[in-house]
Amino acid sequence: MERADHPATAGRVLAPGTPFLDPASQAPEAAPPPEPDRAYKALVHVPALLEASPGKGGRVALRTLLGGKPVSLRWTPWAQARARKLLSRASPQQLVLAFWPRTDEAGTLVPKACTVYQVLLPQGGEGSFRVRGRLAAIDLAEGRFSVEIRPNPKGVLRKTFSLVLQASISLLQSLPPAGTGVEVVGEFRPGSRRLVARKAVPAPLWDDPQD
């Protein structure tokens, strides 16, 4: 998980072309939503081959190939409807999936825990990601670091989670201390299903301690 002031749940119909964050958690009504540049977020854009096939009850099932391998993903209703509409014109078809990522402790993407929130027509380029969260840990030996994604006020994510990102030693050594807010951009590699950071800079977050 993109506009941070438009979080959505998997059960809510999403407006075409609206980018938004991975659902962020319910917070007290008194808490205002964070400014877009201070919200936690995590999102991936990646080219994928989609194919429509007959499903149960006459519904159209979606078969998704990521890096040439079939994967099972979660879908928001609007993204699923959008994919089916595009595939009704031609199937299979190369499209771009925008989804909220989850990784395991080694940094490998877990597709069945990821939710597709938008389907786009291809415009060139490779898979990419953008993450804004709190730096949790740095592992120089394994060449990776983890970023904590916390609930945003007025959102619907109910539990904090961490993403594990791969990085070069030079990038790892340039990271700020653990606990600092960071914004990370990089590439998604479908073959290994890893998120590889290319740039990481300090970034403000809505729950930063106030001086």
Side-chain angles (χ1 to χ4, degrees):
M1 38 250 34
E2 181 178 358
R3 284 177 54 189
D5 54 341
H6 286 277
T9 68
R12 183 181 302 169
V13 176
L14 307 175
T18 302
F20 31 70
L21 287 182
D22 190 355
S25 108
Q26 292 288 352
E29 286 298 317
E35 298 175 9
D37 61 352
R38 296 180 66 89
Y40 288 83
K41 64 181 177 182
L43 62 92
V44 173
H45 283 195
V46 62
L49 184 67
L50 268 68
E51 182 178 15
S53 59
K56 295 181 180 179
R59 290 178 61 82
V60 175
L62 298 177
R63 183 169 183 263
T64 306
L65 296 180
L66 202 60
K69 299 178 181 179
V71 295
S72 178
L73 298 161
R74 296 176 179 176
W75 293 74
T76 63
W78 185 85
Q80 195 171 65
R82 164 79 168 161
R84 287 179 173 140
K85 181 177 180 180
L86 290 172
L87 292 175
S88 69
R89 304 169 186 169
S91 177
Q93 191 174 160
Q94 188 81 10
L95 298 168
V96 174
L97 303 183
F99 62 84
W100 301 310
R102 298 291 189 275
T103 66
D104 62 18
E105 294 180 355
T108 303
L109 194 79
V110 182
K112 64 182 180 181
C114 301
T115 303
V116 179
Y117 69 85
Q118 197 172 53
V119 181
L120 307 167
L121 295 174
Q123 296 181 342
E126 303 298 326
S128 63
F129 75 89
R130 181 177 295 273
V131 170
R132 180 186 287 260
R134 200 163 296 282
L135 183 61
I138 302 170
D139 189 335
L140 290 174
E142 296 295 335
R144 61 196 183 206
F145 65 105
S146 59
V147 177
E148 188 176 77
I149 308 299
R150 298 178 182 176
N152 291 314
K154 301 292 185 179
V156 293
L157 181 75
R158 300 188 181 281
K159 187 178 180 181
T160 296
F161 68 94
S162 292
L163 290 174
V164 177
L165 312 175
Q166 312 298 309
S168 65
I169 294 297
S170 59
L171 189 149
L172 292 171
Q173 291 176 333
S174 70
L175 289 171
T180 304
V182 291
E183 180 149 1
V184 188
V185 295
E187 64 184 80
F188 172 65
R189 296 182 178 175
S192 63
R193 296 186 183 176
R194 299 292 179 90
L195 300 171
V196 181
R198 293 303 182 200
K199 181 180 179 181
V201 296
L205 294 166
W206 69 267
D207 59 351
D208 284 336
Q210 300 297 315
D211 296 332

